[in-house]
């Protein structure tokens, strides 16, 4: 049995965790407002729940917060749900993580419970000054997830039904079509039909066994646009997507109204190819976990203010199939379009990040200098993912370019 001194130590440690989770005001009301009838209960839950359970190392603190939301939702303990939901939001738990918890709860707790949980959470967000932006599910705005008819099947999302120039978005290595969610939604709202897709081996697209070449990825883009039937399009490719865009413009210029090459290159020097070989070997030996931190640092730099973006990228990369990643990485490191870019005739926007160590401004300048109708734009403060790091600046550059084509 613990002595009184040790119990007081446990109480104080539990009290600190309780304050960190629920906030000072709530804890003060619960403990300082205790009576002879409730004091032992408050002492008990502070020691047992908040010290013995909440401080256990087996789960991250954020995971425990989300579990409580799911459990109180399932039990319809709405007072507790509101308390913990508000505390989680104030404590910095990403709203996206809360949304995913409630969506999961819709399956296992039932739609009525999820409906109430979403309603209460939205009210809390409004009260906390975090009101979500409108996203009506009208036909012209609603994202529609589909797949190609041809094989290997590619997963895609269509959004927008306007009459303006159609846009196709192609993502970076190890990521997926969600890289473009905000950008595609923005242009769909302006009247542009948009299509964003998962490259083969990524996201929900098929994962064919064996090697992967840039030619195959280019052919994927060709059949994607042909099946959509909305061409010619503006093809917006970032990193790997930009390499696909170069090959597409060389192979089928008739499918393009314009080309955007963001944070990409047409050729790697020998030392960069050696670095790619090391990364591929690391993935082969240890899976995506062996390189995830390196990739996140290359994609976003060391900007501590982007912690939420870093967590999202990390989760996407860790979900990537290692074999598919290695196959696509071999295709990336073999890119060799630089000597052929003079043949391009479609209007082209080349976007570079001033802090990008992998697709440097010099590489962007080398591409733009060889394309007759190219314009080079620099985002000085971003690294490799301008569409995530500075979406407003990226969308402004893209919007200006697309408007010039009209």
């Amino acid at each position: 049995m613990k002595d009184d001194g040790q119990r007081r130590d446990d109480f104080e440690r539990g009290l600190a965790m309780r304050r960190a989770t629920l906030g000072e005001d709530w804890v003060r009301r619960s403990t300082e407002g205790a009576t002879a009838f409730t004091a032992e209960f408050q002492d008990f839950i502070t020691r047992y729940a908040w010290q013995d359970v909440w401080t256990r190392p087996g789960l991250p603190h954020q995971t425990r917060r989300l579990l409580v939301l799911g459990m109180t939702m399932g039990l319809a303990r709405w007072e507790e749900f509101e308390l913990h939901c508000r505390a989680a939001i104030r404590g910095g738990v990403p709203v996206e993580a809360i949304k995913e918890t409630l969506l999961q709860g819709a399956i296992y707790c039932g739609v009525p419970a999820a409906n109430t949980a979403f309603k209460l959470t939205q009210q809390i967000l409004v009260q906390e000054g975090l009101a979500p932006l409108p996203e009506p599910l009208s036909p012209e705005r609603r994202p529609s997830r589909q797949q190609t008819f041809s094989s290997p099947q590619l997963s895609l999302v269509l959004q927008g039904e306007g009459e303006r120039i159609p846009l196709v978005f192609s993502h970076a290595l190890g990521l997926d079509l969600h890289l473009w969610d905000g950008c595609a939604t923005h242009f769909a709202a302006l009247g542009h039909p948009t299509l964003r897709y998962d490259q083969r081996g990524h996201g929900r697209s098929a994962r064919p066994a064996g090697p992967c070449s840039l030619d195959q990825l280019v052919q994927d883009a060709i059949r994607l646009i042909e099946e959509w039937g909305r061409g010619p399009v503006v093809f917006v490719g970032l990193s790997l997507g930009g390499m696909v865009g170069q090959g597409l413009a060389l192979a089928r210029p008739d499918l393009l109204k314009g080309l955007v090459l963001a944070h990409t290159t047409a050729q790697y020097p020998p030392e960069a190819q050696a670095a790619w070989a090391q990364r591929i070997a690391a993935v082969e030996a240890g899976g995506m976990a062996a390189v995830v931190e390196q990739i996140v640092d290359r994609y976003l730099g060391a900007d501590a203010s982007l912690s939420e973006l870093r967590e999202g990228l990390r989760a996407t990369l860790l979900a990537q199939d290692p074999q598919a990643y290695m196959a696509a990485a071999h295709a990336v490191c073999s890119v060799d379009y630089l000597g052929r870019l003079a043949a391009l005739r479609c209007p082209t926007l080349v976007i570079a990040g001033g802090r990008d160590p992998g697709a440097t401004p010099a590489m962007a300048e080398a591409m733009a200098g060889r394309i007759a109708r190219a314009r080079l734009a620099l985002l000085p403060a971003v690294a490799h993912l301008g569409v995530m790091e500075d979406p407003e600046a990226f969308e402004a550059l893209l919007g200006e370019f697309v408007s010039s084509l009209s």
Side-chain angles (χ1 to χ4, degrees):
M1 179 184 294
K2 297 178 181 177
D3 62 26
D4 289 344
Q6 180 62 43
R7 187 169 68 247
R8 284 195 298 272
D9 289 341
D10 284 349
F11 179 85
E12 290 298 331
R13 284 194 289 270
L15 201 62
M17 174 58 72
R18 199 175 179 186
R19 288 192 183 106
T21 304
L22 297 180
E24 178 68 36
D25 290 343
W26 176 268
V27 175
R28 185 187 299 113
R29 287 196 300 271
S30 299
T31 55
E32 294 183 6
T35 68
F37 184 69
T38 64
E40 287 188 75
F41 172 69
Q42 290 295 332
D43 178 75
F44 170 72
I45 62 171
T46 300
R47 288 182 293 107
Y48 181 68
W50 293 102
Q51 158 59 20
D52 288 352
V53 176
W54 273 87
T55 63
R56 288 174 63 84
L59 289 173
H61 188 64
Q62 178 174 305
T63 302
R64 293 187 186 278
R65 284 185 181 271
L66 296 174
L67 282 170
V68 169
L69 294 185
M71 293 170 183
T72 53
M73 169 185 169
L75 294 169
R77 302 287 195 257
W78 297 119
E79 182 181 0
E80 283 284 299
F81 177 89
E82 286 191 71
L83 168 66
H84 280 272
C85 188
R86 190 182 304 277
I89 291 168
R90 290 180 176 178
V93 176
V95 175
E96 185 68 21
I98 295 174
K99 183 181 77 173
E100 291 301 320
T101 300
L102 304 189
L103 282 170
Q104 191 82 2
I107 300 172
Y108 294 98
C109 305
V111 170
N115 186 59
T116 301
F118 270 104
K119 178 182 177 181
L120 293 173
T121 303
Q122 177 133 309
Q123 290 174 352
I124 293 169
L125 289 171
V126 170
Q127 293 162 3
E128 296 296 317
L130 299 171
L133 294 173
E135 193 172 306
L137 294 176
S138 53
E140 68 275 10
R141 297 287 296 273
R142 181 178 65 84
S144 172
R145 182 172 284 277
Q146 300 185 24
Q147 289 186 323
T148 56
F149 298 108
S150 54
S151 295
Q153 283 194 317
L154 303 177
S155 176
L156 60 103
V157 169
L158 302 177
Q159 191 171 6
E161 293 187 348
E163 298 301 321
R164 303 182 73 178
I165 298 173
L167 307 177
V168 174
F169 297 94
S170 186
H171 62 77
L173 177 65
L175 303 186
D176 57 28
L177 59 80
H178 293 298
L179 174 69
W180 298 108
D181 283 355
C183 192
T185 298
H186 171 80
F187 283 97
L190 296 177
H192 294 274
T194 70
L195 184 157
R196 52 201 190 269
Y197 73 104
D198 291 330
Q199 306 262 14
R200 68 165 65 195
H202 294 71
R204 297 187 183 184
S205 286
R207 300 176 182 179
C212 173
S213 69
L214 271 177
D215 285 344
Q216 288 175 311
L217 297 175
V218 169
Q219 289 303 313
D220 287 344
I222 289 172
R223 62 190 175 86
L224 187 80
I225 296 170
E226 288 182 332
E227 284 191 21
W228 192 25
R230 301 298 294 264
V233 306
V234 171
F235 189 90
V236 185
L238 188 149
S239 193
L240 167 59
M243 297 174 190
V244 173
Q246 294 171 64
L248 172 63
L250 289 166
R252 290 292 303 275
D254 58 301
L255 295 178
L256 297 183
K257 180 88 171 176
L259 177 64
V260 179
L261 306 176
H263 309 293
T264 191
T265 186
Q267 189 179 74
Y268 282 113
E271 59 270 22
Q273 292 178 345
W276 273 109
Q278 292 175 356
R279 188 190 301 182
I280 292 168
V283 174
E284 186 171 22
M288 295 303 298
V291 297
V292 65
E293 298 303 331
Q294 174 193 354
I295 298 172
V296 170
D297 285 344
R298 289 181 70 85
Y299 277 0
L300 292 179
D303 190 341
S305 68
L306 300 176
S307 58
E308 189 171 333
L309 289 181
R310 296 176 74 88
E311 286 304 312
L313 272 183
R314 190 175 289 110
T316 300
L317 288 163
L318 289 173
Q320 170 66 37
D321 178 75
Q323 295 299 322
Y325 182 90
M326 289 189 290
H330 279 293
V332 167
C333 68
S334 67
V335 63
D336 190 17
Y337 288 131
L338 192 62
R340 301 171 58 192
L341 294 183
L344 296 189
R345 292 293 179 265
C346 70
T348 302
L349 172 64
V350 181
I351 301 175
R355 300 187 301 111
D356 193 337
T360 64
M363 291 175 172
E365 187 175 356
M367 290 188 295
R370 286 165 171 79
I371 302 172
R373 302 175 66 186
R375 173 198 164 198
L376 175 62
L378 180 68
L379 295 174
V382 311
H384 196 64
L385 298 180
V387 69
M388 294 181 70
E389 298 170 80
D390 193 348
E392 290 185 1
F394 191 95
E395 289 167 7
L397 285 174
L398 180 53
E400 181 183 347
F401 173 69
V402 173
S403 295
S404 72
L405 303 177
S406 302

